[in-house]
Amino acid sequence: MQHITSEEIAEMEKLFRLNLINSVTGYKSANLIATKSAEKGVNVAVFSSVTHLGSNPALLGFITRPTKEVARNTYKNIKENKYFTVNHIQKDMIESAHQTAAKYEEEISEFQKTGLEEEYLDNFYAPYVRQSNVKLGCEYINEYYIKENDTVMLIGAIKHIYFDEGIQAPDGWLRLDDAETVAVNGLDGYALPSLLDRFHYARPGQEIKSFFKKEE
């Protein structure tokens, strides 16, 4: 088995190190975050750091890179207007979604350059991505500066959820493989997960039970 130490990581060529560390932590969520500027239109960008923070209240978070040297339009728009949307990337969108990572000028909308389409639902300020099968409308709540690498975690409250009714189980759970939601391996590898099984809540001393496999 390959063994790499922290000293060897520090000596690696930059791109090699970036690819290694971004992929070694496992598959990540793949989402498009869309925002709207008061003056310069709409913005949409791919993020692989969106994560669940809690269900009551319903909160999510994501990491944005440093804002000092490079313009971060998503962060700027959210701070100005408080609203943003999180849109799942699915199988037939991966090329367009990946292209949103390009560094366009602030006045240029990634929607116009990538073929993604904006839509507005229920008078929400920020646009959604029309092609996405799962969409969340969120409101900025707070942020936390991470001094170790000069990044920021933004916290959002989930205000609206949209999805195809056909992917929801009776207990509320969403079967994301039916929605063709993809995951990201590293920064640029897109994968379509295949559900292996789903298990009931684990408790000490109790046998693991599957939702899908019938007891013999």
Side-chain angles (χ1 to χ4, degrees), residues 201-212:
Y201 189 82
R203 301 182 187 279
Q206 290 190 7
E207 182 181 353
I208 297 296
K209 294 184 178 180
S210 167
F211 276 92
F212 301 142

Side-chain angles (χ1 to χ4, degrees), residues 135-203:
K135 326 172 204 271
L136 310 173
C138 302
E139 181 180 6
Y140 170 89
I141 296 297
N142 204 350
E143 65 182 61
Y144 295 91
Y145 176 66
I146 303 172
K147 66 179 182 180
E148 286 77 10
N149 64 347
D150 194 26
T151 58
V152 175
M153 170 172 259
L154 267 69
I155 311 299
I158 300 173
K159 296 297 185 179
H160 301 276
I161 302 175
Y162 301 91
F163 57 86
D164 182 351
E165 292 181 3
I167 70 171
Q168 188 172 39
D171 65 353
W173 179 77
L174 299 184
R175 182 157 181 160
L176 297 182
D177 56 334
D178 284 349
E180 296 192 324
T181 291
V182 303
V184 174
N185 179 3
L187 293 175
D188 50 20
Y190 296 84
L192 185 64
S194 177
L195 186 68
L196 300 177
D197 208 336
R198 185 185 177 211
F199 300 103
H200 289 269
Y201 189 82
R203 301 182 187 279

Side-chain angles (χ1 to χ4, degrees), residues 20-69:
L20 171 63
I21 301 304
N22 272 281
S23 59
V24 76
T25 51
Y27 287 108
K28 301 184 289 290
S29 64
N31 291 284
L32 290 164
I33 295 182
T35 60
K36 185 178 180 180
S37 166
E39 299 177 353
K40 296 187 177 181
V42 295
N43 168 266
V44 61
V46 59
F47 280 80
S48 61
S49 60
V50 176
T51 186
H52 161 86
L53 293 181
S55 58
N56 187 23
L59 299 174
L60 56 77
F62 70 94
I63 302 295
T64 183
R65 299 304 303 172
T67 60
K68 295 176 182 177
E69 292 82 16

Side-chain angles (χ1 to χ4, degrees), residues 12 27 80 85 97 107 133 169 204 216:
M12 287 177 178
Y27 287 108
E80 285 182 356
T85 68
E107 64 273 11
N133 286 335
E216 297 181 358

